[in-house]
Amino acid sequence: MGMSTVAAARWVERWECQQQRYAVDREERFTVIADVVEHMTLGRSAPLVLDLGSGPGSLAARLAGRLPAAEVVAVDADPLLLELGRAHHGSALRYVEALIGAPDWLDALGLDRPVDAAVSTTALHYLGEDTLKRVYTDLAGRLRPGGVLVNGDHISPDSATVRELALDIGRRQSERCLALIHEDWQSWWSGAAADPELAPFLARRGERRHPPCEGNDLPLSGHIGLLREAGFAEVGTVWQFGNSHVLVAVR
């Protein structure tokens, strides 16, 4: 039995608010990513777009709204978040449960043609450096020539002084936007655990045995280096606020 649309709408709304605590520039970053994807898929009749680490589909749904002819695939390892997205966003997206970076993870997506664009927001920093390198290489192999990877994430500048400034600018903006009034990550999950309608999906989540989060602290130059090694021809930042970047890599 699926989740009700009422419950899904309630929890997705709380998810959207909770995420504002950690990225006050989130909506602008989403808009920039959608701008890039739209620009890079001009003239493509039905572009194939992957959202990696999609959660309930926040970015994927915005992309589907911007590009109604596109096939947008929301990829995440969490069955609860995917079910929230299915119930809330409906058939606008295709949802796939897969662990990014696992062996043959791209094969699980059922892709029948080259990918036009792959996007991700605040997800790839959870991968260890070796796994991230493998993911970049895997994506370079599946993107069409001229296809694009767009990563919106917290990426440190290379200079220690600039890194400190970027963090301080982000902190000041968070204070101005009253970011801390939103519930935090733990509060959202604690609330979800107390909702009986979510219990079957949380049980499925508990059955999953995924490797621990390795994480990486690569600076901007580190990401650019890995992307070039993976086979991307052109790499650069198209937007930045504080340590929040939108990094673009063209195949």
Side-chain angles (χ1 to χ4, degrees), residues 131-204:
T131 304
L132 181 64
K133 181 177 180 179
R134 184 168 64 251
V135 167
Y136 283 163
T137 302
D138 290 345
L139 290 170
R142 292 297 183 100
L143 283 161
R144 64 168 174 81
V148 65
L149 168 62
V150 193
N151 183 23
D153 210 340
H154 306 302
I155 302 174
S156 296
D158 287 276
S159 160
T161 300
V162 177
R163 186 181 312 130
E164 183 179 345
L165 284 170
L167 288 171
D168 186 58
I169 287 167
R171 178 188 60 78
R172 290 170 185 265
Q173 178 71 348
S174 294
E175 290 174 353
R176 284 192 290 267
C177 294
L178 305 177
L180 295 183
I181 67 172
H182 299 296
E183 71 175 320
D184 62 17
W185 174 269
Q186 187 58 50
S187 173
W188 190 92
W189 283 104
S190 296
D195 187 334
E197 188 167 353
L198 305 190
F201 309 103
L202 283 165
R204 282 188 56 209

Side-chain angles (χ1 to χ4, degrees), residues 3-205:
M3 186 183 301
S4 73
T5 57
V6 172
R10 180 171 69 251
W11 284 105
V12 169
E13 181 180 2
R14 281 184 64 171
W15 177 269
E16 295 279 344
C17 290
Q18 174 250 126
Q19 291 288 293
Q20 290 293 323
R21 184 182 180 99
Y22 304 102
V24 295
D25 57 321
R26 183 170 179 257
E27 200 61 47
E28 183 176 352
R29 187 168 57 192
F30 282 167
T31 299
V32 171
I33 292 172
D35 287 343
V36 172
V37 173
E38 184 174 36
H39 178 87
M40 297 298 292
T41 58
L42 285 174
R44 312 289 295 185
S45 58
L48 174 58
V49 181
L50 309 181
D51 180 11
L52 307 177
S54 64
S58 301
L59 174 57
R62 287 164 172 81
L63 289 168
R66 178 79 76 89
L67 303 167
E71 178 187 356
V72 182
V73 184
V75 184
D76 204 280
D78 195 300
L80 172 60
L81 297 180
L82 291 171
E83 184 59 29
L84 286 171
R86 286 190 190 97
H88 185 61
H89 298 298
S91 60
L93 309 172
R94 180 163 71 87
Y95 287 88
V96 179
E97 185 177 332
L99 181 63
I100 298 165
D104 302 321
W105 68 278
L106 274 171
D107 293 338
L109 309 190
L111 305 177
D112 59 0
R113 55 197 167 104
V115 176
D116 292 284
V119 304
S120 186
T121 54
T122 56
L124 298 184
H125 67 260
Y126 289 113
L127 303 180
E129 185 173 340
D130 289 342
T131 304
L132 181 64
K133 181 177 180 179
R134 184 168 64 251
V135 167
Y136 283 163
T137 302
D138 290 345
L139 290 170
R142 292 297 183 100
L143 283 161
R144 64 168 174 81
V148 65
L149 168 62
V150 193
N151 183 23
D153 210 340
H154 306 302
I155 302 174
S156 296
D158 287 276
S159 160
T161 300
V162 177
R163 186 181 312 130
E164 183 179 345
L165 284 170
L167 288 171
D168 186 58
I169 287 167
R171 178 188 60 78
R172 290 170 185 265
Q173 178 71 348
S174 294
E175 290 174 353
R176 284 192 290 267
C177 294
L178 305 177
L180 295 183
I181 67 172
H182 299 296
E183 71 175 320
D184 62 17
W185 174 269
Q186 187 58 50
S187 173
W188 190 92
W189 283 104
S190 296
D195 187 334
E197 188 167 353
L198 305 190
F201 309 103
L202 283 165
R204 282 188 56 209
R205 186 175 191 267

